[in-house]
Amino acid sequence: MAVQKIELGSKGIRRVLRKYKPEEAIAEYVWNGYDATATRVSINILQNSIGGIEEINVSDNGYGIPFSQLNTKFKPFFESNKIIVRNSESNSSSYHGKNGVGRLTFFTFAGQAEWETIYEKEDKKYKYTIYIDGDGLNDYTATEPEEVDQKTELGTTVRFFRINEDFQVDTMKHFLKVEFCWFLELMKNNEFQLLINHAPIDYSAVSYTHLRAHETCADL
């Protein structure tokens, strides 16, 4: 396995990453799935016998991360700090998906992240794994792609380990409802889903005003 450097580009990147809240970071991984043409994103929270969180994983049925794009996805380059300036009071990941910054935000709630991704190339499917430790965000390790059975579903699963003790599941759920209600409502006829522990999120309590505001923006 080869160890590669993630080129952050400027000190301003780390300042932006530190402003992320854990629930906002989780939302970035959900958006990554939808950006990869996923119609289903599932968040699963695995707890131990005393209620502590052992692992959080986010899975999607998108097109995966082609190995040839690995450097592009995990070596983000930033040409302007204006792209990454973030309003810490914002209640939305309005700049999600830009330059891959979201993939490094896991350190706000976990100590380690592992991506298992399956993609297609020349009518064959391949799987490989990427590892990043929270103490060394500028390093990643990737295995070599291996061919898998054609029946295997495309997509990516990100697993987070060493979860912070103060991670609030209810706070995450509320944020995700507000963040994705408009998107799921707009895409409901296409059967888009966001599930938490196998159950679709219920955003029916989100105010109509909030939902309509996002729909109006989407129409612009």
Side-chain angles (χ1 to χ4, degrees):
M1 296 190 295
V3 176
Q4 302 289 340
K5 290 289 183 183
I6 296 174
E7 300 181 33
L8 294 176
S10 75
K11 293 181 180 179
I13 301 305
R14 287 193 178 275
R15 290 198 298 271
V16 171
L17 293 180
R18 285 200 297 269
K19 292 181 180 179
Y20 270 88
K21 298 175 183 177
E23 61 270 20
E24 294 169 328
I26 292 288
E28 287 294 315
Y29 294 97
V30 176
W31 278 124
N32 283 341
Y34 290 131
D35 288 345
T37 71
T39 58
R40 184 187 69 252
V41 178
S42 300
I43 300 170
N44 290 308
I45 301 166
L46 308 181
Q47 295 181 293
N48 56 32
S49 58
I50 59 174
I53 300 175
E54 293 287 340
E55 176 185 335
I56 299 172
N57 61 65
V58 181
S59 302
D60 67 67
N61 64 344
Y63 54 69
I65 305 172
F67 193 73
S68 61
Q69 297 180 16
L70 184 56
N71 284 351
T72 301
K73 299 295 186 182
F74 284 84
K75 283 189 175 183
F77 289 85
F78 300 86
E79 297 184 2
S80 171
N81 281 340
K82 292 180 181 178
I83 295 175
I84 59 166
V85 169
R86 184 181 183 285
N87 178 2
S88 61
E89 301 303 318
S90 171
N91 206 29
S92 175
S93 303
S94 59
Y95 67 104
H96 67 85
K98 290 183 172 60
N99 300 315
V101 64
R103 290 185 174 86
L104 303 181
T105 60
F106 71 87
F107 79 94
T108 63
F109 65 91
Q112 184 181 15
E114 173 188 307
W115 289 255
E116 183 178 272
T117 187
I118 299 171
Y119 67 99
E120 190 170 30
K121 179 182 178 182
E122 297 176 351
D123 297 325
K124 295 181 180 180
K125 294 180 180 179
Y126 298 89
K127 178 175 70 174
Y128 69 100
T129 305
I130 307 151
Y131 305 92
I132 300 181
D133 192 273
D135 293 329
L137 288 173
N138 61 332
D139 288 318
Y140 71 81
T141 302
T143 62
E144 291 296 321
E146 296 182 354
E147 188 175 348
V148 296
D149 189 272
Q150 282 290 339
K151 296 180 181 179
T152 307
E153 186 178 55
L154 298 178
T156 300
T157 296
V158 194
R159 297 182 176 91
F160 305 104
F161 305 98
R162 307 204 312 266
I163 308 301
N164 295 351
E165 292 183 1
D166 58 355
F167 184 87
Q168 299 294 317
V169 174
D170 288 341
T171 300
M172 178 201 72
K173 288 181 178 179
H174 175 74
F175 183 86
L176 294 179
K177 289 176 183 179
V178 175
E179 174 80 357
F180 291 98
C181 62
W182 65 274
F183 177 78
L184 294 170
E185 185 69 14
L186 287 173
M187 303 300 291
K188 63 182 180 181
N189 290 336
N190 295 322
E191 299 183 351
F192 275 56
Q193 290 183 301
L194 174 56
L195 304 97
I196 299 178
N197 288 342
H198 311 292
I201 67 167
D202 178 9
Y203 54 85
S204 59
V206 177
S207 71
Y208 176 81
T209 300
H210 182 93
L211 182 60
R212 185 57 194 154
H214 277 290
E215 289 179 336
T216 301
C217 291
D219 291 337
L220 295 178

